[in-house]
Amino acid sequence: MSDVTTVVGFIPLMDCAPLAVAVEKGFAAGEGLDLRLVRETSWANIRDRVVVGHFDAAHMLGPMAIASTLGIGHLKVPMAAPLSLGLGGNAITVSLRVWDLMMAEGAALSAGPRALGEALRKVVRARERANKPPFTFAMVYPFSAHNYELRYWLAASGIDPDRDVRLVVIPPPLLVDAMREGQIDGFCVGEPWNSVAVSVGVGCIALPTTAIWKQSPEKVLGCRLEWTQRYPDRVQALVRSLYKAALWCEQPENHSELARLLAEPRFVGAPAEILLRGLSNRLCLQRGEEVERLDGFYLPASHAATFPWVSHALWFYSQMVRWGQVAFDPEHVAQVRATYRPDLYRLALDKTTNVPSADTKLDELFDGVRFDSDDLPGYLAALPSCS
């Protein structure tokens, strides 16, 4: 197998760590893989290069794999996600101007999603009364956990994300510059770019998205379904090597070395000390403030963080329906279920302990609404309106 190179694309984010470690610490080679990583700037580039076969697999947004399988927003190319690349790691950052306005309405660091949402709602309503243009918030891709987490929090706070604010797409490495230029008022992105915004004095981390959804789903190893069928041995070797790399990434004694590795320009290219905070579940929410411990902010391996839960895929689909990206169709549900592949995960790791026996689980977000993947229409009907 090692005489064939497996090419995998990634975006410079903290949660590309298992890919970097699989190569640099020899886990991929140990599984007989010649793994070559290619750094990309935007999620659209990742999507396109997987679709046309430039990449065998990629560090991929979970909802992107689903959208491709369903043919939403681009070509219809069935995808498979045999592994999750961790849980959490995202945050919502606002400009210092917006944070000052929120504090005037009672916001405080670590106040929680309800109080912070209420403060932002008051600021948004005051802008409406003053006939000022809506705030512009950025996320990284229309089919992303970032888009849906941001929308979920706004809607649960009484802010209509399609009417009361303006949402735009900007690639992760460009968000800090866009905020510095005053082009956006906030964004939702994975680390380290929230912390970079704080470090350079242009933003304040208002909310880690794990406060919206504890152990929330994020990236996956995504590849074309056709590729998984053609190269089953390579898929299994890739899953095993990334699983072992994820275990290495989570060990505290490895975090300093990992931060230095990710700081290299060929991977993330952000300061090692900033990356170390996120890897260690510690963030500085505002420049000049003490670093705060945020347990469970980023989980590479524990709590079944590498398992591709089908219920996570179905929640992403529910948000696509909720926000008008696609109409609900029972036939979609089977296609979504077939995109996340716990069967391939188990096949690769059949000798590994603690592999979940179920494909789905119940989850509850901060507003108390429980997600039951067996009743999508009922879940969607129970969601509150933004009014």
Side-chain angles (χ1 to χ4, degrees):
M1 191 186 306
S2 60
D3 59 339
V4 178
T5 300
T6 299
V7 183
V8 177
F10 74 96
I11 294 289
L13 290 158
M14 184 177 70
D15 58 14
C16 77
L19 288 163
V21 167
V23 172
E24 298 299 315
K25 302 302 290 185
F27 294 114
E31 293 292 336
L33 281 175
D34 177 15
L35 186 58
R36 182 165 71 90
L37 303 181
V38 179
R39 189 182 194 267
E40 268 294 353
T41 300
S42 74
W43 290 114
N45 286 359
I46 290 284
R47 173 201 63 195
D48 293 346
R49 297 190 72 179
V50 172
V51 163
V52 303
H54 289 185
F55 295 154
D56 297 312
H59 172 226
M60 184 177 287
L61 298 161
M64 177 190 289
I66 296 163
S68 182
T69 293
L70 297 178
I72 305 171
H74 199 250
L75 300 174
K76 181 178 174 67
V77 179
M79 294 284 166
L83 179 101
S84 165
L85 288 170
L87 299 172
N90 294 341
I92 296 170
T93 294
V94 297
S95 70
L96 298 183
R97 178 174 66 95
V98 172
W99 182 244
D100 285 343
L101 293 171
M102 290 175 64
M103 284 196 299
E105 297 293 351
L109 294 176
S110 304
R114 292 183 184 277
L116 290 165
E118 174 64 13
L120 181 59
R121 186 187 65 81
K122 290 177 179 178
V123 173
V124 167
R125 295 290 173 256
R127 287 184 70 81
E128 289 177 351
R129 291 192 297 271
N131 292 316
K132 294 182 178 180
F135 288 135
T136 298
F137 282 82
M139 37 73 183
V140 299
Y141 192 72
F143 305 105
S144 66
H146 314 74
N147 185 23
Y148 304 138
E149 289 164 344
L150 178 59
R151 284 174 172 272
Y152 196 99
W153 174 59
L154 292 172
S157 303
I159 302 167
D160 189 324
D162 290 318
R163 181 182 65 86
D164 298 332
V165 296
R166 179 172 176 248
L167 297 183
V168 299
V169 173
I170 297 176
L174 305 183
L175 284 165
V176 175
D177 289 337
M179 183 169 281
R180 181 187 287 113
E181 294 298 316
Q183 296 163 343
I184 57 175
D185 301 293
F187 55 72
C188 183
V189 72
E191 278 294 285
W193 304 113
N194 300 284
S195 292
V196 170
V198 172
S199 176
V200 300
V202 300
C204 172
I205 298 176
L207 194 66
T209 56
T210 44
I212 299 170
W213 183 355
K214 186 179 180 182
Q215 297 172 18
S216 48
E218 243 310 300
K219 314 298 188 310
V220 296
L221 175 70
C223 40
R224 285 173 298 154
L225 176 61
E226 177 270 335
W227 188 81
T228 69
Q229 295 168 337
R230 189 191 305 178
Y231 302 109
D233 291 344
R234 287 166 70 183
V235 173
Q236 289 186 45
L238 194 52
V239 168
R240 282 193 296 270
S241 63
L242 290 173
Y243 175 80
K244 293 173 183 177
L247 293 175
W248 189 94
C249 289
E250 191 149 305
Q251 297 304 309
E253 62 268 24
N254 297 329
H255 287 169
S256 292
E257 181 182 352
L258 178 54
R260 291 192 298 270
L261 174 64
L262 295 178
E264 296 180 20
R266 61 192 173 120
F267 291 120
V268 179
E273 62 271 20
I274 288 178
L275 285 155
L276 179 59
R277 290 179 200 157
L279 293 169
S280 305
N281 293 310
R282 298 177 300 118
L283 294 181
C284 179
L285 304 181
Q286 189 173 21
R287 192 175 187 181
E289 296 290 331
E290 294 293 323
V291 172
E292 293 197 24
R293 176 79 188 178
L294 300 172
D295 290 329
F297 170 71
Y298 170 57
L299 300 172
S302 60
H303 298 280
T306 59
F307 188 74
W309 290 100
V310 172
S311 48
H312 286 167
L314 290 167
W315 185 82
F316 288 142
Y317 175 66
S318 77
Q319 300 308 295
M320 294 176 184
V321 173
R322 181 185 189 186
W323 302 113
Q325 292 177 321
V326 66
F328 180 80
D329 187 333
E331 293 186 5
H332 286 166
V333 176
Q335 296 176 62
V336 172
R337 285 181 174 274
T339 301
Y340 272 43
R341 298 296 299 274
D343 59 321
L344 295 180
Y345 181 93
R346 294 190 185 100
L347 189 63
L349 300 169
D350 60 349
K351 295 181 175 60
T352 303
T353 58
N354 300 322
V355 173
S357 58
D359 293 348
T360 63
K361 61 188 179 77
L362 288 173
D363 281 292
E364 183 175 317
L365 280 73
F366 82 96
D367 57 356
V369 177
R370 300 189 78 190
F371 177 64
D372 182 354
S373 60
D374 291 329
D375 183 18
L376 293 185
Y379 169 75
L380 288 165
L383 291 170
S385 68
C386 301
S387 59

